[in-house]
Amino acid sequence: MSNKFFLKNYPSDDVLSKKLIQDFIKRKKEYKKNDLLIFYKYTAETKYFIDNLPDSGGFSSEDLVNIEDQELAFFSISKCKADTTKFVGKYHYYGINHNLDQTDTLIYRCQYIQNNR
């Protein structure tokens, strides 16, 4: 679960929380294709996953999909559609109350070339 991050004492303001996560992402120096970082609020519901792996089977399953409303954001690296040798880093922010859906390109912006004919 090296791609999951739990924010303890996160700001109660969406603008500050979003910026805090963006700054963390930008400070990471290297990314690989298909990298995915997922950010959660650190709460009574999510602290279980600090020491335990998700378990989606059995009578008492514990899985992060059961608490997706605790997810604050995710960041993913994928190939550009126009040039598959290049990558783009997209940041999706859901908000403190999971009431937003904002997307930003943070790194590796795809550049599209228009042909004028």
Side-chain angles (χ1 to χ4, degrees), residues 16-70:
L16 294 174
S17 181
K18 181 179 178 181
K19 182 165 178 13
L20 177 75
I21 297 170
Q22 280 178 329
D23 290 347
F24 176 86
I25 292 167
K26 288 177 182 177
R27 279 194 309 268
K28 187 174 176 183
K29 299 294 181 197
E30 293 183 27
Y31 289 99
K32 297 176 245 144
K33 67 178 179 177
N34 300 324
D35 267 357
L36 175 67
L37 307 177
I38 306 171
F39 299 87
Y40 295 90
K41 297 182 233 176
Y42 179 87
T43 65
E45 292 177 288
T46 60
K47 73 178 181 178
Y48 169 85
F49 299 102
I50 299 296
D51 297 320
N52 300 285
L53 291 173
D55 176 15
S56 58
F59 177 70
S60 62
S61 67
E62 295 284 345
D63 203 345
L64 288 166
V65 296
N66 298 335
I67 54 171
E68 65 183 20
D69 63 329
Q70 301 299 307

Side-chain angles (χ1 to χ4, degrees), residues 96-111:
I96 301 292
N97 297 313
H98 217 260
N99 61 341
L100 301 172
D101 191 5
Q102 300 174 343
T103 303
D104 295 311
T105 302
L106 294 184
I107 59 172
Y108 307 135
R109 296 181 190 277
C110 295
Q111 294 187 4

